[in-house]
Amino acid sequence: MAEEYNTEGMLDVYLYENEQLLEQLQEMVLEQKDADSFDQDSINEIFRTMHTIKGSSGIMMFDNITAISHKLEDVFYYLRESHPQNVPHIKLVEHVLEVADFITDEMEKIKSGNTPDGNPDDIIKELDAFLETIKSGAGEEVEPPPENVHEEPKQFYIAPVATDASRFYKVYITFSPDTVMANIHAYKTVYAMKEIAEDLLYSPEDIISDEGSADVILKEGFKILLQAQCTEGDIRKIIGVGYDIEKVDIYECKAEEFLQGFDFGGPEQQIDLDSSVEVIEARAGQKENQEKPAAKPMAPGDFVIKSKEPGKMKKLAKDKPKSEKASFISVNVNKMDLLMDLIGELVISESVVLQNPDLKVPGLNLANFNKAAAQMSKISTDLQNVIMSMRMVPLTNLFQKMNRIVFDVSRKLGKDIEFEMIGEHTEVDKNIIENISDPLMHLVRNAVDHGIETAEERIQSGKADKGKVTLSARTEAGKVWISVTDNGKGLDREKILAKAKKQGLLDEGKAESAYTDKEIYQFITLPGFSTNEQVTEYSGRGVGMDVVVQNIQSIGGTLEIESVPGFGSTMSLKIPLTLAIIDGIVMESGTSSFVVETGVVKEFVSVREDMMIHEPNGEEFIMIRGECYPVIRLGEWYGLKEYRRSVEDGMMLIFEVEGKTICLFVDRLIGKQEIVVKPIPSYVKKVKGLSGCTQLGDGSIALILDPVGLIE
C-alpha cells in the first residue's frame, strides 16, 4: 500500500540530490559572474536544475520550494527561448544565488526535523519584476515564447482526450546502474511529463507503493506511453540524459499502437528502438496482411503489468556493461569516525603484541611468529590506508563557499575584487575541513574588508582599481598549508603596535624596536583586538581572529601572518593532513620517549665531537659535508634528566621543513612505528615543539614533536 511506503528514504534522496544540484549551480554561477552573460549551455543547465528541484519538491509537497524554483525556471525559460539582449548579468547572478540560499535554508530546516516554512513571496516578486524588465527591453523583433505554465496534477492518471493535434510516443528510459531508489527517479520523470501529457501510462506502474520496482527499473528500464501535443524535442527537454539517466529512446507510434499498450503485436514482437524508421516501416508493411488477434480494450489504469502474457521478458534496449560504472554508498560520518577510532586501537594493540616483553626471552624460535606478524602488519597498514582514503575529501566545495563570500561581501562594500583558487583539489581529512571552514571564512572576509582598499584608494596609490584575493592550498611533510593572500594595503606595524601598547599587551622592559614584524602581527589574533575605528557588519568588534586561532589550535594547527605594507598580506593556516594515524620515528632522550613524523626526517647521522661548533652565547652548530646547521639537544631543550651529553654517544637527526634545516640530538633511536595521534591539553601545547602525544606498545606515553616549532 502507498501509505506503507518508507518516505524517510525518499527524503534522504531528495536532500542529497538537491544539495548536489545546488552546489553545482552555485559553482557554475560564480565561475561566470565576471562574464557579460551566461552562455547557452549554462542557461540550459540552470533551467534543468530548477526544473528538477521543482519536480522533486512538488513530489515531497514542499510548496514554497516548488514555487520559488518554478519562478526562477520561468526566468531562464524566457532566456532560453527568446535570447534577449542587455540582460543585467550581475543582477541575474544575485537572483540565482538568492534563490539557492532560500532553498538551502529550507533544506536545513528539513534536515533538523522542522517544517520548511520560509516565505518566498518577496523573492518571487523581485523575480517577476526582473522578468518584466528583461521582457520590456527585449525589443519588438523578439516574439515572446509561450508561457511556462506549471499545473499541479490532480491525480496520477490523466484521462485521454485525443485531438487531431495529438501525437503518440513510446518512451524507454535507461537509468544508471548505480542509481539509488530508481523508482523515485522514475516518478520524478512522470511528474515532470504531466505538464505536457494528455494521456500517460507507465510500466512498472507501482513505482511508489512497491520498493521492489526500483530493481525492475534498473534491470528492464522504465517504459512510458505518452499522448501529447508536442514534438520529440519537447520531450527530450523534459527528460534529458543526466547523472541518473544514461539513455532516453523515443519512438513515435500510431494511435492504434498506443491503445494496445506496451505488449502490442503479440508475444514475440519487440519495440525496436535501434533500427531506422525506414526499416521499421518496411517490416510493418510485410506484416500488414497477417491476421492479428483482437486487442483487449484498455481501461484507465490497465497498464502492461495487468495484461502481459507470461513468457520471455521483452528486451527494449541494449544492456550496457555494468562493470564500467563505480558503485557508491552513503555512510554516516559518525560510523566512519568510530571505524577510525577502532583502527587506531587496532594499531596500538598490534604494537603491544609485537613489542611484548615475553618475546625477548633468550632461545625462543620466533621465525614463524615473525612471518605471521609481518603479514598482520601489512594487512593492518593496508586497512589504515583504505580507511584514510575514504575520509579524504577535496577542498573544492570549501573553496567555492569562499568564492561566494568574496562575491557577497565585495558587492555590499562596493569593491571590485577578483577571486583566484589554487590547489582546490588538495585532499584532506573530512574532520579537518569541518574545523577550518569558519576560520577560513573569517580570513577571507578580513582580506576583502580590511585588506583590499576601495577603487579610489587603489588608484591614488598607483594600483589597479580591481583588487585580488587568492586562496591556495598545498601539502608538505604531512601538513596542509591553506593561504589567503590579498594585494591590498597590508598590515600597519605602527598602528598595531600603538593599539597593543594602549591595551597593555607589550612586555615590560622590552623596547618597541625589539619586536619583530611577526610578533607584532600576532597581536591581531588576541581577543578584543581590532584596529578598525568603525564597527561594520563584518569587522571592528575585535572578534574573529581569536576564534580563528582557537579553532586551528584545537586540531593541532597554527596561523602564520606575513605582510608587506602597501602590497598586501598573507594569512597561512598550517594544519595536519589528518587527525588519525601517521608514520613516525620513535626516539629516546634521557628517560622520555618522543616521536617525529617520518616525512620531515632527511637523514640520521652519527657525528664526532670535532664536527661541533660552540658559540660563546651557548648556541651550537655542526658541519656536515661543508654545510653548517644549528643543533638542538632534545634533553637540554626540555630540561630532561640523565640524557647523554656527548654527541658521540647519541644520534643526530636532520630535519628539513619549509626550506629550513635543523639538527636534533637524541640519545638513541627505537625504530619506525605507526602512531595514533592523541590530543594534548592546551597548557602543554604552549610548550614549543610539541603537537600531540601517542601510546607506545609497552603502554608508555610518547610526545609527538613539531619540527616547525623547534625551528622557530
Side-chain angles (χ1 to χ4, degrees), residues 227-296:
Q227 172 189 317
Q229 298 182 26
C230 66
T231 64
E232 179 180 331
D234 295 330
I235 300 173
R236 291 192 181 277
K237 286 180 181 179
I238 296 176
I239 312 176
V241 175
Y243 69 96
D244 57 339
I245 297 178
E246 279 190 350
K247 185 180 180 184
V248 179
D249 295 301
I250 302 175
Y251 166 61
E252 187 169 0
C253 61
K254 298 179 182 179
E256 295 78 11
E257 295 174 321
F258 178 85
L259 292 174
Q260 289 172 352
F262 297 99
D263 278 355
F264 66 97
E268 297 300 324
Q269 186 168 347
Q270 297 178 340
I271 300 175
D272 188 350
L273 300 175
D274 297 319
S275 302
S276 65
V277 176
E278 292 78 5
V279 173
I280 295 173
E281 289 178 347
R283 188 184 304 152
Q286 294 173 3
K287 298 185 179 181
E288 269 186 354
N289 297 325
Q290 296 181 7
E291 185 179 352
K292 295 183 180 179
K296 179 184 176 182

Coordinates of all heavy atoms in Angstrom, one line a residue, residues 227-296:
Q227 N 0.7 10.4 -24.7 CA -0.1 11.1 -25.7 C 0.0 12.6 -25.4 O -0.4 13.0 -24.3 CB -1.6 10.6 -25.6 CG -2.6 11.5 -26.5 CD -4.0 11.1 -26.2 OE1 -4.4 10.0 -26.1 NE2 -4.8 12.2 -26.1
A228 N 0.4 13.4 -26.3 CA 0.6 14.8 -26.1 C 0.7 15.6 -27.4 O 0.9 15.0 -28.5 CB 1.9 15.0 -25.3
Q229 N 0.5 16.9 -27.3 CA 0.6 17.8 -28.5 C 2.0 18.4 -28.4 O 2.2 19.6 -28.1 CB -0.5 18.8 -28.5 CG -1.9 18.3 -28.6 CD -2.9 19.3 -28.6 OE1 -2.7 20.5 -29.1 NE2 -4.2 19.0 -28.2
C230 N 3.0 17.6 -28.7 CA 4.4 18.1 -28.6 C 5.3 17.3 -29.6 O 4.8 16.3 -30.2 CB 4.9 18.0 -27.2 SG 5.1 16.2 -26.7
T231 N 6.5 17.7 -29.7 CA 7.5 17.1 -30.6 C 8.4 16.2 -29.7 O 8.4 16.3 -28.5 CB 8.3 18.1 -31.4 OG1 9.1 18.9 -30.5 CG2 7.4 19.0 -32.2
E232 N 9.2 15.4 -30.4 CA 10.2 14.6 -29.7 C 11.2 15.5 -29.0 O 11.6 15.2 -27.9 CB 10.9 13.7 -30.7 CG 12.0 12.9 -30.0 CD 12.7 12.0 -31.0 OE1 12.1 11.6 -32.0 OE2 13.9 11.7 -30.8
G233 N 11.5 16.7 -29.6 CA 12.4 17.6 -28.9 C 11.9 18.1 -27.6 O 12.6 18.3 -26.7
D234 N 10.6 18.4 -27.6 CA 10.0 18.9 -26.4 C 10.1 17.9 -25.3 O 10.3 18.2 -24.1 CB 8.5 19.2 -26.6 CG 8.3 20.4 -27.6 OD1 9.2 21.2 -27.6 OD2 7.3 20.4 -28.3
I235 N 9.9 16.6 -25.6 CA 10.1 15.5 -24.6 C 11.5 15.4 -24.1 O 11.7 15.3 -22.9 CB 9.6 14.2 -25.2 CG1 8.2 14.2 -25.7 CG2 9.8 13.0 -24.2 CD1 7.7 13.0 -26.4
R236 N 12.4 15.6 -25.0 CA 13.9 15.5 -24.6 C 14.3 16.6 -23.7 O 15.2 16.5 -22.9 CB 14.8 15.3 -25.8 CG 14.6 14.0 -26.6 CD 15.7 13.8 -27.6 NE 15.5 12.5 -28.3 CZ 15.9 11.4 -27.8 NH1 16.5 11.3 -26.6 NH2 15.7 10.3 -28.5
K237 N 13.6 17.8 -23.9 CA 13.9 18.9 -23.0 C 13.5 18.6 -21.5 O 14.1 19.1 -20.6 CB 13.2 20.2 -23.4 CG 13.8 20.8 -24.7 CD 13.0 22.0 -25.1 CE 13.6 22.7 -26.4 NZ 12.8 23.9 -26.8
I238 N 12.5 17.8 -21.4 CA 12.0 17.4 -20.1 C 12.8 16.2 -19.5 O 13.1 16.2 -18.3 CB 10.5 17.1 -20.1 CG1 9.7 18.4 -20.5 CG2 10.0 16.6 -18.7 CD1 8.2 18.1 -20.6
I239 N 13.0 15.2 -20.4 CA 13.7 14.0 -20.0 C 15.1 14.1 -20.6 O 15.2 13.6 -21.8 CB 13.0 12.7 -20.4 CG1 11.5 12.8 -20.0 CG2 13.6 11.5 -19.7 CD1 10.7 11.6 -20.5
G240 N 16.0 14.6 -19.9 CA 17.4 14.7 -20.5 C 18.3 13.7 -19.9 O 18.1 13.3 -18.7
V241 N 19.3 13.3 -20.6 CA 20.4 12.5 -20.1 C 21.1 13.2 -19.0 O 21.6 14.4 -19.3 CB 21.3 12.0 -21.2 CG1 22.5 11.2 -20.6 CG2 20.5 11.1 -22.2
G242 N 21.3 12.7 -17.8 CA 22.0 13.4 -16.7 C 22.7 12.4 -15.9 O 23.1 11.3 -16.3
Y243 N 22.9 12.8 -14.6 CA 23.7 11.9 -13.7 C 23.0 10.6 -13.3 O 23.6 9.7 -12.9 CB 24.1 12.7 -12.5 CG 22.9 13.0 -11.5 CD1 22.7 12.2 -10.5 CD2 22.1 14.1 -11.8 CE1 21.6 12.5 -9.6 CE2 21.1 14.4 -10.9 CZ 20.8 13.6 -9.9 OH 19.8 13.9 -9.0
D244 N 21.6 10.6 -13.5 CA 20.9 9.4 -13.1 C 20.4 8.7 -14.4 O 20.2 7.4 -14.3 CB 19.7 9.7 -12.2 CG 18.8 10.7 -12.8 OD1 19.2 11.5 -13.7 OD2 17.6 10.8 -12.3
I245 N 20.2 9.4 -15.5 CA 19.6 8.8 -16.7 C 20.8 8.6 -17.7 O 21.4 9.6 -18.1 CB 18.5 9.6 -17.3 CG1 17.3 9.7 -16.3 CG2 18.0 9.1 -18.6 CD1 16.2 10.6 -16.8
E246 N 21.0 7.3 -18.2 CA 22.0 7.1 -19.1 C 21.5 7.3 -20.6 O 22.3 7.7 -21.4 CB 22.5 5.6 -19.0 CG 23.5 5.4 -17.8 CD 24.1 4.1 -17.9 OE1 23.7 3.2 -18.7 OE2 25.1 3.9 -17.2
K247 N 20.3 6.9 -20.9 CA 19.8 6.9 -22.2 C 18.3 7.0 -22.3 O 17.6 6.5 -21.4 CB 20.2 5.5 -22.9 CG 19.9 5.5 -24.4 CD 20.3 4.1 -25.0 CE 20.0 4.0 -26.5 NZ 20.4 2.7 -27.0
V248 N 17.8 7.8 -23.3 CA 16.4 8.0 -23.5 C 16.1 7.7 -24.9 O 16.6 8.3 -25.9 CB 16.0 9.5 -23.2 CG1 14.5 9.6 -23.4 CG2 16.3 9.8 -21.7
D249 N 15.3 6.7 -25.2 CA 14.8 6.3 -26.5 C 13.4 6.7 -26.7 O 12.5 6.3 -25.8 CB 15.0 4.8 -26.7 CG 16.4 4.3 -26.7 OD1 17.2 4.9 -27.5 OD2 16.8 3.5 -25.8
I250 N 13.1 7.4 -27.8 CA 11.7 7.9 -28.0 C 11.3 7.4 -29.4 O 12.0 7.6 -30.4 CB 11.6 9.4 -27.9 CG1 12.1 9.9 -26.5 CG2 10.2 9.9 -28.2 CD1 12.2 11.4 -26.4
Y251 N 10.1 6.7 -29.5 CA 9.6 6.2 -30.7 C 8.2 6.7 -30.9 O 7.3 6.4 -30.1 CB 9.7 4.6 -30.7 CG 8.9 3.9 -31.7 CD1 9.2 4.1 -33.1 CD2 7.8 3.1 -31.4 CE1 8.4 3.5 -34.1 CE2 7.1 2.4 -32.4 CZ 7.4 2.6 -33.7 OH 6.7 2.0 -34.7
E252 N 7.9 7.4 -32.0 CA 6.6 7.9 -32.2 C 5.8 6.8 -32.9 O 6.2 6.1 -33.8 CB 6.6 9.1 -33.1 CG 5.2 9.7 -33.3 CD 5.3 11.1 -34.0 OE1 6.4 11.6 -34.3 OE2 4.2 11.7 -34.2
C253 N 4.5 6.6 -32.4 CA 3.7 5.5 -32.9 C 2.3 6.0 -33.3 O 2.0 7.2 -33.1 CB 3.6 4.4 -31.9 SG 2.8 4.9 -30.3
K254 N 1.5 5.1 -33.8 CA 0.2 5.4 -34.2 C -0.8 5.3 -33.0 O -0.4 4.6 -32.0 CB -0.3 4.5 -35.3 CG 0.5 4.7 -36.6 CD 0.0 3.8 -37.7 CE 0.9 3.9 -39.0 NZ 0.4 3.0 -40.0
A255 N -2.0 5.8 -33.1 CA -2.9 5.8 -32.0 C -3.3 4.3 -31.7 O -3.5 4.0 -30.5 CB -4.2 6.6 -32.4
E256 N -3.4 3.5 -32.8 CA -3.8 2.1 -32.5 C -2.7 1.4 -31.7 O -3.0 0.6 -30.8 CB -4.0 1.4 -33.9 CG -5.1 1.9 -34.7 CD -4.8 3.2 -35.4 OE1 -3.6 3.6 -35.4 OE2 -5.7 3.8 -36.0
E257 N -1.5 1.6 -32.0 CA -0.4 1.0 -31.3 C -0.4 1.5 -29.8 O -0.1 0.7 -28.9 CB 1.0 1.3 -31.9 CG 1.1 0.7 -33.3 CD 2.4 1.2 -34.0 OE1 2.8 2.3 -33.9 OE2 3.0 0.3 -34.7
F258 N -0.7 2.8 -29.7 CA -0.7 3.4 -28.3 C -1.8 2.7 -27.5 O -1.6 2.3 -26.3 CB -1.0 4.9 -28.4 CG -1.1 5.6 -27.1 CD1 0.0 6.0 -26.4 CD2 -2.3 5.8 -26.5 CE1 -0.1 6.6 -25.2 CE2 -2.4 6.4 -25.3 CZ -1.3 6.8 -24.6
L259 N -2.9 2.4 -28.1 CA -4.0 1.8 -27.3 C -3.8 0.4 -27.0 O -4.4 -0.2 -26.1 CB -5.3 1.9 -28.1 CG -5.9 3.4 -28.3 CD1 -7.1 3.4 -29.2 CD2 -6.2 3.9 -26.9
Q260 N -2.9 -0.3 -27.8 CA -2.5 -1.7 -27.5 C -1.6 -1.8 -26.3 O -1.4 -2.9 -25.8 CB -1.9 -2.3 -28.7 CG -2.8 -2.5 -29.9 CD -2.1 -3.0 -31.1 OE1 -0.9 -3.0 -31.2 NE2 -2.9 -3.4 -32.1
G261 N -1.1 -0.7 -25.8 CA -0.3 -0.7 -24.6 C 1.1 -1.1 -24.9 O 1.6 -1.0 -26.0
F262 N 1.8 -1.6 -23.9 CA 3.2 -2.0 -24.1 C 3.4 -3.3 -24.8 O 4.4 -3.5 -25.5 CB 3.9 -2.1 -22.7 CG 3.9 -0.8 -22.0 CD1 3.0 -0.5 -21.0 CD2 4.8 0.2 -22.3 CE1 3.0 0.7 -20.3 CE2 4.8 1.4 -21.6 CZ 3.9 1.7 -20.6
D263 N 2.4 -4.2 -24.7 CA 2.5 -5.5 -25.3 C 1.7 -5.6 -26.6 O 0.7 -6.2 -26.7 CB 2.0 -6.6 -24.4 CG 3.1 -7.0 -23.4 OD1 4.2 -6.5 -23.5 OD2 2.8 -7.8 -22.5
F264 N 2.1 -4.7 -27.6 CA 1.3 -4.8 -28.8 C 2.0 -5.7 -29.8 O 3.2 -5.8 -29.9 CB 1.2 -3.4 -29.4 CG 2.5 -2.8 -29.9 CD1 2.9 -2.9 -31.2 CD2 3.4 -2.2 -29.0 CE1 4.1 -2.3 -31.6 CE2 4.6 -1.6 -29.4 CZ 4.9 -1.7 -30.7
G265 N 1.1 -6.4 -30.6 CA 1.7 -7.2 -31.7 C 2.0 -8.6 -31.4 O 2.6 -9.3 -32.2
G266 N 1.6 -9.1 -30.2 CA 1.9 -10.5 -29.9 C 3.1 -10.7 -29.1 O 3.9 -9.8 -28.9
P267 N 3.2 -11.9 -28.5 CA 4.3 -12.1 -27.5 C 5.7 -12.1 -28.1 O 6.6 -12.0 -27.4 CB 3.9 -13.5 -26.9 CG 3.1 -14.1 -28.0 CD 2.4 -13.1 -28.7
E268 N 5.8 -12.3 -29.4 CA 7.2 -12.4 -29.9 C 7.7 -11.0 -30.4 O 8.8 -10.9 -30.9 CB 7.2 -13.4 -31.1 CG 6.9 -14.8 -30.7 CD 7.9 -15.3 -29.7 OE1 9.1 -15.0 -29.8 OE2 7.5 -16.0 -28.8
Q269 N 6.8 -10.0 -30.5 CA 7.2 -8.7 -31.1 C 7.9 -7.9 -30.0 O 7.5 -7.8 -28.8 CB 6.0 -8.0 -31.6 CG 6.3 -6.7 -32.4 CD 5.2 -6.2 -33.1 OE1 4.2 -6.9 -33.3 NE2 5.3 -5.0 -33.6
Q270 N 8.9 -7.1 -30.4 CA 9.6 -6.2 -29.5 C 9.4 -4.8 -30.0 O 9.2 -4.6 -31.2 CB 11.1 -6.6 -29.5 CG 11.4 -8.0 -28.9 CD 12.9 -8.3 -29.0 OE1 13.6 -7.6 -29.7 NE2 13.3 -9.2 -28.2
I271 N 9.6 -3.9 -29.1 CA 9.7 -2.5 -29.6 C 11.1 -2.2 -30.0 O 12.0 -2.3 -29.2 CB 9.3 -1.5 -28.4 CG1 7.9 -1.8 -27.9 CG2 9.5 -0.1 -28.8 CD1 7.5 -1.0 -26.7
D272 N 11.3 -2.0 -31.3 CA 12.6 -1.8 -31.8 C 13.0 -0.3 -31.8 O 12.4 0.5 -32.6 CB 12.6 -2.4 -33.3 CG 14.1 -2.4 -33.8 OD1 14.9 -1.8 -33.2 OD2 14.2 -3.0 -34.9
L273 N 13.8 0.0 -30.9 CA 14.3 1.4 -30.8 C 15.6 1.7 -31.4 O 16.2 2.8 -31.4 CB 14.3 1.9 -29.4 CG 12.9 1.8 -28.7 CD1 13.1 2.1 -27.2 CD2 11.9 2.7 -29.3
D274 N 16.3 0.6 -32.0 CA 17.6 0.7 -32.5 C 17.6 0.8 -34.1 O 18.5 1.5 -34.6 CB 18.5 -0.5 -32.1 CG 18.6 -0.6 -30.6 OD1 18.8 0.5 -30.0 OD2 18.6 -1.7 -30.1
S275 N 16.6 0.2 -34.8 CA 16.6 0.3 -36.2 C 16.1 1.6 -36.7 O 15.4 2.4 -36.0 CB 15.6 -0.8 -36.7 OG 16.1 -2.1 -36.3
S276 N 16.4 1.9 -38.0 CA 15.9 3.2 -38.6 C 14.4 3.1 -38.8 O 13.8 2.1 -38.8 CB 16.6 3.4 -39.9 OG 16.3 2.4 -40.8
V277 N 13.8 4.3 -39.1 CA 12.4 4.4 -39.3 C 12.0 3.6 -40.6 O 11.0 2.9 -40.6 CB 11.9 5.9 -39.4 CG1 10.5 6.0 -39.8 CG2 12.2 6.6 -38.1
E278 N 12.9 3.7 -41.6 CA 12.6 3.0 -42.9 C 12.5 1.5 -42.7 O 11.6 0.9 -43.2 CB 13.6 3.4 -43.9 CG 13.6 4.8 -44.4 CD 14.2 5.8 -43.4 OE1 14.8 5.3 -42.4 OE2 14.2 7.0 -43.6
V279 N 13.5 1.0 -41.9 CA 13.5 -0.5 -41.7 C 12.2 -0.9 -40.9 O 11.6 -1.9 -41.2 CB 14.8 -0.9 -40.9 CG1 14.7 -2.3 -40.5 CG2 16.0 -0.6 -41.8
I280 N 11.8 -0.1 -39.9 CA 10.7 -0.4 -39.1 C 9.4 -0.4 -40.0 O 8.5 -1.3 -39.9 CB 10.5 0.5 -37.9 CG1 11.7 0.3 -37.0 CG2 9.2 0.3 -37.2 CD1 11.8 1.3 -35.8
E281 N 9.3 0.6 -40.8 CA 8.1 0.7 -41.7 C 8.0 -0.4 -42.7 O 7.0 -1.0 -43.0 CB 8.1 2.1 -42.4 CG 7.8 3.3 -41.5 CD 7.9 4.6 -42.2 OE1 8.4 4.6 -43.4 OE2 7.4 5.6 -41.7
A282 N 9.2 -0.8 -43.3 CA 9.2 -1.9 -44.2 C 8.8 -3.2 -43.5 O 8.0 -4.0 -44.1 CB 10.6 -2.0 -44.8
R283 N 9.3 -3.4 -42.3 CA 9.0 -4.6 -41.6 C 7.5 -4.6 -41.3 O 6.8 -5.7 -41.3 CB 9.8 -4.7 -40.3 CG 9.7 -6.0 -39.5 CD 10.5 -5.9 -38.2 NE 11.8 -5.5 -38.5 CZ 12.6 -4.8 -37.6 NH1 12.1 -4.4 -36.5 NH2 13.8 -4.5 -37.9
A284 N 6.9 -3.4 -40.9 CA 5.5 -3.4 -40.6 C 4.6 -3.7 -41.9 O 3.6 -4.3 -41.8 CB 5.1 -2.0 -40.0
G285 N 5.1 -3.2 -43.1 CA 4.4 -3.4 -44.3 C 4.3 -4.9 -44.7 O 3.3 -5.4 -45.2
Q286 N 5.3 -5.7 -44.3 CA 5.3 -7.1 -44.7 C 4.3 -7.8 -43.8 O 3.8 -8.9 -44.2 CB 6.7 -7.7 -44.4 CG 7.8 -7.1 -45.4 CD 9.2 -7.6 -45.0 OE1 9.3 -8.4 -44.1 NE2 10.1 -7.2 -45.8
K287 N 3.9 -7.3 -42.7 CA 3.0 -8.0 -41.8 C 1.6 -7.4 -41.8 O 0.8 -7.8 -41.0 CB 3.6 -7.9 -40.3 CG 4.9 -8.6 -40.2 CD 5.4 -8.6 -38.7 CE 6.7 -9.2 -38.6 NZ 7.2 -9.3 -37.2
E288 N 1.3 -6.5 -42.7 CA 0.0 -5.9 -42.7 C -1.1 -6.9 -43.0 O -2.2 -6.7 -42.5 CB 0.0 -4.8 -43.8 CG 0.4 -3.4 -43.2 CD 0.2 -2.3 -44.2 OE1 -0.1 -2.6 -45.4 OE2 0.3 -1.2 -43.8
N289 N -0.8 -7.9 -43.9 CA -1.9 -8.8 -44.3 C -2.0 -9.9 -43.4 O -2.9 -10.8 -43.6 CB -1.6 -9.3 -45.7 CG -1.6 -8.2 -46.8 OD1 -2.4 -7.3 -46.6 ND2 -0.7 -8.3 -47.8
Q290 N -1.1 -10.0 -42.4 CA -1.3 -11.1 -41.4 C -2.4 -10.9 -40.5 O -2.7 -9.7 -40.1 CB 0.0 -11.3 -40.6 CG 1.2 -11.7 -41.5 CD 2.5 -11.9 -40.7 OE1 2.4 -11.9 -39.5 NE2 3.6 -12.2 -41.4
E291 N -3.1 -11.9 -40.1 CA -4.2 -11.8 -39.2 C -3.8 -11.4 -37.8 O -2.8 -12.1 -37.2 CB -5.1 -13.1 -39.1 CG -6.3 -12.9 -38.3 CD -7.1 -14.2 -38.3 OE1 -6.8 -15.1 -39.1 OE2 -8.1 -14.3 -37.6
K292 N -4.3 -10.4 -37.2 CA -4.0 -10.0 -35.8 C -5.1 -10.4 -34.8 O -6.2 -10.3 -35.2 CB -3.7 -8.5 -35.7 CG -2.6 -8.0 -36.6 CD -2.4 -6.5 -36.4 CE -1.2 -6.0 -37.2 NZ -1.1 -4.6 -37.1
P293 N -4.7 -10.9 -33.7 CA -5.8 -11.1 -32.7 C -6.4 -9.8 -32.2 O -5.7 -8.8 -32.2 CB -5.0 -11.8 -31.5 CG -3.6 -11.3 -31.7 CD -3.4 -11.1 -33.2
A294 N -7.6 -9.9 -31.8 CA -8.3 -8.7 -31.3 C -7.6 -8.2 -30.1 O -7.4 -8.9 -29.1 CB -9.8 -9.0 -31.1
A295 N -7.4 -6.9 -30.1 CA -6.7 -6.3 -28.9 C -7.7 -6.1 -27.8 O -8.9 -5.7 -28.0 CB -6.1 -5.0 -29.3
K296 N -7.3 -6.4 -26.6 CA -8.2 -6.2 -25.5 C -8.3 -4.7 -25.2 O -7.3 -4.0 -25.1 CB -7.5 -6.9 -24.2 CG -8.4 -6.7 -23.0 CD -7.6 -7.3 -21.8 CE -8.4 -7.0 -20.5 NZ -7.6 -7.6 -19.4

